């Protein structure tokens, strides 16, 4: 049986998750107990928020260790049902160091109203926060997937499109998944994406 190794690296990971949770809560992106946050430590360990915790009031004890296949290191700990979507991303790209999942109003409404399988974001200066973008004169697609309580099945639907995702992805009526090489990068991309979605929602409401 594995045991959770609590060292400086683990403490740093917990601090980053707690701080990110507080910022996401302040922005209204993780209402009630919604959302989950994780990061991968330099030695490959994965830290993730336990199931059911309010992200605005996280403490180190609300962060648990999981194996690469999503099993809690401590069998008493309960991981989020969506843990597999985090471990899927870490397995897909060794460069990913943090994954964030939030439930904002803009993401929820737009995902339910968009009839196509992606939301296209074009012409925004903030698009440059995403890797590989050097100009506002571009367009990127945010893939949309139908919500599914069977997370393993949802992961198989997401998998074929992972290689082409630049913004992250959005689950209809649910929320966004964004990632980066570290927590700072992931949080910056989440803030960028949420800003863009809020702009799109405001534009739609203005037209109505």
């Amino acid at each position: 049986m594995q045991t959770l190794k609590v060292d400086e690296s683990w403490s740093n990971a917990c601090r980053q998750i707690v701080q990110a949770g507080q910022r996401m809560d302040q922005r209204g992106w993780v209402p009630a107990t919604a959302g989950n946050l994780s990061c991968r430590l330099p030695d490959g360990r994965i830290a993730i928020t336990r199931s059911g915790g309010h992200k605005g009031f996280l403490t180190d004890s609300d962060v648990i260790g999981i194996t690469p296949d999503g099993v809690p290191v401590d069998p008493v700990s309960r991981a989020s049902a969506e843990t597999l979507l985090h471990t899927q991303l870490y397995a897909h790209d060794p460069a990913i160091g943090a994954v964030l999942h939030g439930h904002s109003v803009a993401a929820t409404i737009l995902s339910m109203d968009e009839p196509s399988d992606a939301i296209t974001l074009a012409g925004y200066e903030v698009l440059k926060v995403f890797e590989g973008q050097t100009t506002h004169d571009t367009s990127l697609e945010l893939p949309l997937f139908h919500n599914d309580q069977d997370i393993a099945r949802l992961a198989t639907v997401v998998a074929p499109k992972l290689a082409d995702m630049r913004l992250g992805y959005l689950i209809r009526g649910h929320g966004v998944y964004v990632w980066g090489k570290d927590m700072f990068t992931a949080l910056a991309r989440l803030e960028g994406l949420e800003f863009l979605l809020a702009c799109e929602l405001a534009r739609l409401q203005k037209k109505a």
Side-chain angles (χ1 to χ4, degrees):
M1 178 185 298
Q2 296 189 50
T3 57
L4 180 62
K5 180 182 177 183
V6 179
D7 53 13
E8 183 177 359
S9 183
W10 176 262
S11 297
N12 287 337
C14 289
R15 183 178 66 254
Q16 291 175 22
I17 288 175
V18 168
Q19 292 176 342
Q22 291 171 343
R23 187 161 182 79
M24 290 169 69
D25 175 57
Q26 291 166 358
R27 298 298 183 92
W29 299 335
V30 279
T33 60
N36 33 74
L37 304 76
S38 71
C39 64
R40 177 159 52 187
L41 283 64
D43 61 9
R45 286 178 290 166
I46 298 173
I48 190 169
T49 47
R50 72 170 68 247
S51 178
H54 192 297
K55 306 310 175 294
F57 300 97
L58 294 174
T59 66
D60 287 6
S61 64
D62 296 309
V63 181
I64 65 173
I66 57 172
T67 64
D69 55 355
V71 177
V73 173
D74 180 353
V76 176
S77 299
R78 182 173 170 227
S80 165
E82 297 163 23
T83 295
L84 179 58
L85 299 179
H86 289 250
T87 56
Q88 177 183 49
L89 286 163
Y90 291 127
H92 168 71
D93 185 353
I96 293 176
V99 178
L100 300 174
H101 170 50
H103 296 231
S104 71
V105 171
T108 302
I109 294 175
L110 291 173
S111 68
M112 296 178 76
D113 289 348
E114 174 58 50
S116 70
D117 60 1
I119 295 174
T120 300
L121 300 168
Y124 292 104
E125 180 72 15
V126 175
L127 284 170
K128 293 196 292 186
V129 76
F130 297 97
E131 188 173 5
Q133 309 311 308
T134 58
T135 175
H136 71 282
D137 189 18
T138 187
S139 65
L140 293 176
E141 289 193 344
L142 178 67
L144 290 171
F145 300 99
H146 291 292
N147 200 0
D148 192 337
Q149 300 307 301
D150 185 330
I151 301 301
R153 182 168 58 201
L154 176 57
T156 65
V157 176
V158 172
K161 297 188 177 182
L162 283 176
D164 297 322
M165 292 183 191
R166 297 293 177 268
L167 295 170
Y169 66 85
L170 178 51
I171 302 173
R172 291 186 186 274
H174 190 158
V176 296
Y177 272 86
V178 176
W179 51 90
K181 64 180 181 179
D182 50 34
M183 185 61 78
F184 176 84
T185 302
L187 190 55
R189 289 178 180 173
L190 177 63
E191 292 191 7
L193 180 57
E194 290 292 358
F195 170 82
L196 295 171
L197 292 175
C199 286
E200 287 293 297
L201 181 58
R203 292 175 68 181
L204 287 176
Q205 292 173 333
K206 185 177 180 180
K207 292 177 182 178

